[in-house]
Amino acid sequence: MWEILSEGMLGFVVMVDSTRPETFREARSILETFRAYAPTPYVVAANKQDHKDAWDIDDMRLALRLDPKVKLLTCVATSKEKVKSVLLELLYGILAEMEEGRS
């Protein structure tokens, strides 16, 4: 199924629940799987950053073992502006890769 989902994909967002560290391992697995099938731009969104028990973004980066170059963005999925900023960051990454391909 992952192969079908990744076919023709220009980029992707992995949204992680920053209040549930028990899901971080699965998020890491999803990242690795998609990167293997489709080496495209991606961003990681740390959702529920408005909750008092949300993990700090730097701690999440360590727990997810994300390279410093990977964009790990704070998010609140119920906020139109926060979701828009995550999607725009992904779009900028896709556009940058397309520009590099033309050079």
Side-chain angles (χ1 to χ4, degrees), residues 12 14-17 20-34 44-45 60 64 66:
F12 62 94
V14 173
M15 186 170 285
V16 182
D17 184 337
R20 295 187 56 212
E22 66 273 15
T23 64
F24 293 179
R25 183 176 297 181
E26 184 178 0
R28 179 72 189 161
S29 175
I30 290 168
L31 278 167
E32 290 171 355
T33 300
F34 270 124
V44 179
M60 284 188 72
L64 293 168
L66 294 177

Side-chain angles (χ1 to χ4, degrees), residues 24-70:
F24 293 179
R25 183 176 297 181
E26 184 178 0
R28 179 72 189 161
S29 175
I30 290 168
L31 278 167
E32 290 171 355
T33 300
F34 270 124
R35 287 180 46 217
Y37 280 113
T40 60
Y42 65 95
V43 297
V44 179
N47 191 31
K48 297 186 181 175
Q49 284 292 299
D50 57 334
H51 291 218
K52 63 177 173 52
D53 58 342
W55 274 45
D56 176 77
I57 208 83
D58 293 326
D59 293 337
M60 284 188 72
R61 180 176 294 284
L62 290 173
L64 293 168
R65 294 178 297 175
L66 294 177
D67 187 279
K69 294 180 279 184
V70 174

